[in-house]
Amino acid sequence: MPLPNIPGYARLNKTHKYSAAGIAAAGAAAIAFAVVPGGDADAKTTAQDLPNKPVALTSQKADAQAHHEALVKQSALADKQAEQEAAAKKAAAEAAKKKAAEEAAAKKAAEAKAAKERAVKQAASRSAARIETVAAEKKTYPDNLDGWIRESLDIMKKKGIPGTYEGIHRNIIRESGGDPRAINNWDINAQNGVPSKGLLQVIAPTFKAYHVEGTAWDAYDPVANITAACNYAADRYGSMDNVNGPY
C-alpha cells in the first residue's frame, strides 16, 4: 500500500503510522462514497449539493494533519523523556562510581593509618622491652650480705641453679658469720694446703670445678663464692637449702 502523502509520515513509529494510514483510508473511503453514483439516491442529487463535497474532504484532511501533528509532538515528547531518563541513569551511575571510589580511598587511608599506628605501638613495645632488658642487665645491688645473696640468686636463676635466700643466708652465717674474707686455717683442708675461703668456705678445687660463668675467678669475691658453693651443693645435695652442716 503506498504511503499517505502526509508531511513527516516517514519519521513516525509503527503505531503512529497505522493510525495515520487508518485516518487517510477513512477519508478516502468517504470521498469515494460521495463521488460514486449509487441508485436512486444518486439520481436525486442536485447540482446544488456538489459544492459541499470539497468542503468535507478539506475538513478530513485538516483532521488528519492535526492528528499527525499531535503524534509528532507525542513522539518528540517521548524521545525527550527517554533522553532525560538516560541522562538521569548516567548521572546516577557516575555518582555511584564516584562514591565507591571515595569509599575505597577512605578505606585504604584508614587501613594505612591503622597499620602505621600498629607499627608505632610495636616499635614502642620493643623499645620498652629493650629498656627493661637493659635495666635488668644494669640492675644494681647493695654492697652488703643482702645484696650479694640477691645478686647470686639472680645469676643462679638464669643458670638454673636451685636455692633460696633463706637457705643461702643460713649457711653463710654458720660458715663465715657473713665475712667474705673468712678463711679456715686449721681443718683437714687447711692441713692439705687447700683452706676453705669466703662466705660459704669453698676450697680452691671446688671453686674451680663449680665456678659459674659471669662471676669473678676470685674465691673471696662474695657473689662468685656464693654462686659456686650453691652450684656444688645443687650437684651433691640437690640444693643449698638441704645443707644444714659442714659440707
Side-chain angles (χ1 to χ4, degrees), residues 6-233:
I6 300 174
Y9 182 84
R11 295 196 301 271
L12 299 180
N13 57 33
K14 187 175 182 180
T15 301
H16 295 164
K17 289 179 180 180
Y18 284 157
S19 298
I23 292 171
I31 293 170
F33 180 79
V35 299
V36 175
D40 294 338
D42 293 333
K44 295 178 181 180
T45 301
T46 65
Q48 294 177 352
D49 296 328
L50 294 176
N52 293 328
K53 303 303 181 178
V55 174
L57 179 60
T58 302
S59 177
Q60 291 170 355
K61 288 184 176 180
D63 289 343
Q65 180 66 28
H67 183 68
H68 163 69
E69 291 176 354
L71 292 176
V72 171
K73 290 181 180 180
Q74 183 178 359
S75 177
L77 181 61
D79 291 342
K80 185 176 181 180
Q81 184 176 358
E83 290 177 358
Q84 291 175 344
E85 290 177 354
K89 289 181 179 180
K90 183 178 179 181
E94 290 177 351
K97 184 178 179 180
K98 181 179 179 181
K99 183 179 180 181
E102 290 175 348
E103 290 177 350
K107 182 179 179 181
K108 185 176 181 180
E111 291 175 349
K113 182 180 179 181
K116 184 176 180 180
E117 290 177 350
R118 285 195 300 271
V120 171
K121 288 182 179 179
Q122 291 173 355
S125 178
R126 289 192 295 268
S127 178
R130 284 195 297 270
I131 291 173
E132 291 178 359
T133 301
V134 171
E137 291 174 350
K138 293 183 177 180
K139 184 177 180 180
T140 58
Y141 305 87
D143 190 21
N144 55 31
L145 182 58
D146 178 72
W148 301 331
I149 295 174
R150 293 187 184 283
E151 185 174 356
S152 295
L153 284 170
D154 285 344
I155 295 172
M156 291 164 58
K157 183 178 180 180
K158 292 179 181 178
K159 301 296 183 179
I161 302 171
T164 64
Y165 185 99
E166 187 280 329
I168 295 172
H169 186 272
R170 171 168 47 81
N171 281 285
I172 287 176
I173 297 303
R174 185 189 68 252
E175 292 293 331
S176 65
D179 179 8
R181 303 300 299 181
I183 183 171
N184 184 328
N185 290 315
W186 54 268
D187 66 3
I188 187 63
N189 289 321
Q191 294 175 18
N192 292 331
V194 284
S196 301
K197 301 177 181 179
L199 291 173
L200 285 169
Q201 293 293 283
V202 182
I203 61 176
T206 300
F207 179 79
K208 183 177 181 180
Y210 290 93
H211 172 265
V212 176
E213 184 179 359
T215 63
W217 277 97
D218 181 3
Y220 286 112
D221 181 86
V223 175
N225 186 281
I226 294 172
T227 311
C230 288
N231 193 24
Y232 165 73

